[in-house]
Structures are given as structure tokens and as C-alpha cells.
Amino acid sequence: MINRSFTLIWVSQALSDVASEMTSLALPLAVLAATRSAVDAALVATVVGIAQLLAKLPSGLIADTYHRKRLMLLCDAARAAVALLLALALATGNLTTIVAVGSAATIALFSSVFGPAESGVLRQAVPLERRREAITRNIVRSNIAIAVGPPLGGMLLAAGAPTAFFADSCSYLLSLALVARVAYTHVARPRASTAATHPLRNTANELTLGFGWVFRRTGLVVLIAFAAYVNLLGRSIELLAAFGVSHDGAHPVSAGLVLTAAGVGGIAGGLCAGWILKRLTPTAIVAAASVAWLLMMPCASTGDELTSAVAVGMVVFSLPSVGSLVGLTISVEAPTHLQGRVGGAVTLLAISIAWAGPGLTGFLISAQGPLTASVVLAAPMVVPLIVLAASPRLRAAVGKIGTVPAREPEPEPEPESVAAAAEQDVLAHGEPAIQGSPAAATARPSLELDDPLGPFAMLALGLGRARPLP
């Protein structure tokens, strides 16, 4: 792969991603078997979603403040312990709804911290010219987990309830062992010159710095708004397709085909994302994704297994390229000391309305039927096509996504130490320079989208899969 550090992280997270997808299916089913309550089983997924949403901003600040590699190791150790406790609870017949919900929420919180910490470590490990490659490879990694994890979780649960959670615990321990070998140099975040007069006010300001960075970039805001509605549609199309192919629940096995199609489509889209980014403008990529949703949403609601699977696979195929544009912009442009908070802000905005997808879809299906529901849900995808066609300013702003303009040198106070010099370089260039290297003495060239870049962290955008990422 790209280099040793990237390979170690990619392999470690491929293992834990597959295991996490396994338990995302296995835990609600285990609760259902233990309590005979569908409400309790659904509560697990609801609490996980709430925990992830609440943790986005604080986790970004934590990752920007503390040693990122140590945070990754701590998160892996904690998740391994909780997964092992779940396995023991199942093995001894002591699994209750409270234990399941508390364990799931704890794992979700530590995963929320792990994500932005991983992004910061990868930013340092992956050379600038290979980040697009890194982004697309991580998209493929996520979609492999989506395609393989749920059916594997069902098989392990059938083999023995504790097995899936014991495998999950082992995956985190393996991840910990691999991450421990990753090379990473911590650069302390810049500190304000004067102490804040009000600690709570200063904390609120620190938490919202990522939003300020995002909202100063019009093209990125447009792309995130597009991603937010896509995440809502992602949950909707799964429900539409599953409802149709299962024939009101009479054939539940057929519904699993939808999730497999989503994973396969995401893998293919991730593999092709680098090729697409080098040949299409960001505006064309957004337009193509909009057209795909407009055409494929009605196809997914037909009730035919093959048609629905192809439709779901095709819309998910279009998403990794959009996600790569967002991930690339953040990994290249956002300063190192704001990486976590920018990522948290983007993720929070991107999943802000996704929760409404299932409820809205269910209401429309019951009121008008699957076909009408699919047309109503897909209709807003006409808006980005009209807006981009009618507004040259917005079209130009979106077209700049993925291009880093040359930065003007800014006067900086003379650093008092090597650590201070590293902080100043982070502020000026977005990543630490290697002392004594030619690159440290020269200005960075502008980076165009056509440069050969590759897979990085998806910042939990939910792009590249049919439902939002954790």
C-alpha cells in the first residue's frame, strides 16, 4: 500500500470495521432473543445513534488536544473490554437491555473519539500527493465491512450468541497491536496567548471553531448540504427496497440482498473514485449523483429483487466520489490543530437530518405506496441540478473543491523552541515540516484535483454506503 503506517492502520481498521458491522446486527438480535421485546432491540440502535451524534463535537476537540496515537490505543483497549463483557454477559445468561444499551453507547463514544484521532494520524502518515488514493482505499475498506459484516454476524450468532462479541473483542485487540507499531510524532496544538476569562465560554468557542472553518467555504457547504440529504435518502432507499423485495416481511432473506448490493456498490465506487475524480469536475460529480438518485429511487421500490439490488448498488456507487471530495478538502486544507473539530462539524452537518429518513419513508409508504414515496423522496434531487445550472457563482465555488490555492506567507513571531517552530509550521502549512528538509524551506505549490491523490478517512460522512457511517 502507500506506506507502512497506512498499511498498519488500514488492516487494523478493516478487521475492527468488519467486527463492528457484525455486532451492529448481532446485538439487537441478541437483545430480542433475551427480552422478546422488539422495542428493547430497537432501543439499542437508537441509543447508538444518539451517542454518536452527541459525541461528534467533543471527540473532535479531544483528538485535536491530546496525543492522537495514544487516544487510538485507549479507544481500542476500552472497546475490546466492553465487547468482552458483552460476550461474558451472553455466555452467562445475564444480558439485559440496560447492559446492552450501556455497552453499545460506550463503544459508540470511544469509536467517535477514535475516528478523528485516526484522521490526524493518517494526515501525518500519508504524503500529500497520495491522499486521494488513501481516501478511496478507506472507502473500499468501509464498504467491504458493510458487505461482509452483517451476514457474518448472523452466522456467528447462530453458532453461539457470545461468539460474535468475542470476535469483536479480539478484533480490537489486534487493532491495538497494529496501531502500536504506527509511526507518529505528536505536535502540541497552539495555545492562546491570554487565558480565557470564562472557561465555559472558551470551551464553547473551542468546540465551534470547526463550524467557522467550514462555513467560510461556500463550495464545501453546498457539498455538505448535498451529502446531508443523500444520507437521508440512503436510509430511505434501504427501507423502500427491503419493504418491496420482502413482500411485507414474508421473505426476510431477500431483504438482506439490499445490504449486500449496497456494500458491493460502495466497494466498486471506491475502487473507481480516483479514476472518476481525475476525469470529472466536482460539479459534474454532484450532477451525476443527483441524476442517479432521481432515476434509481423509483427502481428500488418495484419489489423485484434484481431491479432493487441493481438500483441500490448504482446509487451507492456514485457516493464515494462525493465523499472523496469532502475528505480530500478537509485533509489537505484544514490546519492540523483543527482536523478533529472540522471533521466533527462536517459529520454533524452531514448526518443532521438522516434520522428523519426511516420515519418519513414509512409514513409515505403507508399513505401513498412505495412508488409514490420513492418519487416524492427523490424529487428534491432536482434542486442541486437547477441551482448549479442557474448560479455561476455556486458552480464556480463547487468547482474549486479539491484545489488548494497557494498560501501567502504570514508574519509569525519568532519561535522560542523547536516545538514552537513545529506549531508555527502547522499553522502556516497545515502539517509539520521535517526540519532540515528542502520542503521546509520552500513554499508549498498549489494542489490541483487532477494530481494523483488517494484513500483517507471518510470522516464518518455516510458517503460510500447506503446509511450514515458511525
Side-chain angles (χ1 to χ4, degrees), residues 207-217 338 342 345:
L207 287 172
T208 55
L209 282 177
F211 287 102
W213 188 92
V214 170
F215 286 125
R216 287 194 294 272
R217 288 154 178 81
L338 286 179
V342 170

Side-chain angles (χ1 to χ4, degrees), residues 219 222-223 226 276-277 279-291 321-322 325 384-402 449:
V222 171
L223 207 56
F226 178 78
I276 292 172
L277 291 176
R279 286 160 179 80
L280 296 180
T281 65
T283 305
I285 290 172
V286 171
S290 300
V291 171
S321 297
V322 179
L325 287 173
L385 295 174
I386 295 174
V387 169
L388 292 176
S391 174
R393 185 176 67 85
L394 285 180
R395 192 164 61 248
V398 173
K400 292 177 182 178
I401 293 291
L449 187 60

Side-chain angles (χ1 to χ4, degrees), residues 176-194:
L176 187 152
L178 292 173
V179 170
R181 303 179 65 185
V182 172
Y184 175 71
T185 302
H186 178 63
V187 178
R189 63 190 289 261
R191 299 185 180 277
S193 57
T194 58

Side-chain angles (χ1 to χ4, degrees), residues 143-404:
N143 283 283
I144 289 173
I146 296 168
V148 174
L152 186 57
M155 291 170 57
L156 291 176
L157 194 62
T163 309
F165 302 97
F166 181 74
D168 193 26
S169 179
C170 290
S171 76
Y172 290 129
L173 291 176
L174 286 171
S175 173
L176 187 152
L178 292 173
V179 170
R181 303 179 65 185
V182 172
Y184 175 71
T185 302
H186 178 63
V187 178
R189 63 190 289 261
R191 299 185 180 277
S193 57
T194 58
T197 57
H198 196 297
L200 291 179
R201 186 179 306 163
N202 185 57
T203 300
N205 180 63
E206 290 285 333
L207 287 172
T208 55
L209 282 177
F211 287 102
W213 188 92
V214 170
F215 286 125
R216 287 194 294 272
R217 288 154 178 81
T218 304
L220 184 59
V221 171
V222 171
L223 207 56
I224 293 171
F226 178 78
Y229 194 68
V230 163
N231 278 330
L232 183 148
L233 288 185
R235 292 190 172 185
S236 298
I237 197 171
E238 283 187 348
L239 186 59
L240 280 167
F243 181 86
V245 301
S246 67
H247 300 288
D248 297 333
H251 302 289
V253 175
S254 299
L257 184 63
V258 174
L259 294 179
T260 301
V264 171
I267 292 170
L271 291 172
C272 297
W275 183 89
I276 292 172
L277 291 176
K278 287 192 285 187
R279 286 160 179 80
L280 296 180
T281 65
T283 305
I285 290 172
V286 171
S290 300
V291 171
W293 282 102
L294 284 168
L295 296 178
M296 293 298 110
M297 279 288 284
C299 294
S301 64
T302 60
D304 179 75
E305 289 185 20
L306 181 60
T307 303
S308 297
V310 170
V312 171
M314 288 187 67
V315 293
V316 177
F317 174 87
S318 69
L319 302 184
S321 297
V322 179
S324 294
L325 287 173
V326 178
L328 179 63
T329 301
I330 295 169
S331 69
V332 172
E333 291 191 36
T336 297
H337 70 284
L338 286 179
Q339 279 278 305
R341 280 164 288 180
V342 170
V346 170
T347 302
L348 196 61
L349 293 170
I351 66 174
S352 58
I353 60 173
W355 58 270
L360 180 60
T361 304
F363 173 78
L364 289 172
I365 290 175
S366 62
Q368 301 293 334
L371 184 59
T372 302
S374 67
V375 173
V376 171
L377 289 165
M381 276 299 177
V382 174
V383 174
L385 295 174
I386 295 174
V387 169
L388 292 176
S391 174
R393 185 176 67 85
L394 285 180
R395 192 164 61 248
V398 173
K400 292 177 182 178
I401 293 291
T403 301
V404 181

Side-chain angles (χ1 to χ4, degrees), residues 3 40 56 71 90 99-100 156 180 186 246 308 369 380 447:
N3 56 35
D40 287 358
K56 291 303 177 186
L71 282 175
L90 275 167
V99 171
L156 291 176
H186 178 63
S246 67
S308 297
L447 173 67

Side-chain angles (χ1 to χ4, degrees), residues 22-23 26-27 30-31 34 78-96 99-100 103-104 107 156-157 160-173:
M22 283 187 336
T23 55
L27 186 55
V31 172
R79 292 185 294 181
V82 174
L84 183 59
L85 286 175
L86 276 173
L88 292 174
L90 275 167
T92 58
N94 292 319
L95 181 68
T96 63
V99 171
S103 299
I107 290 176
L156 291 176
L157 194 62
T163 309
F165 302 97
F166 181 74
D168 193 26
S169 179
C170 290
S171 76
Y172 290 129
L173 291 176

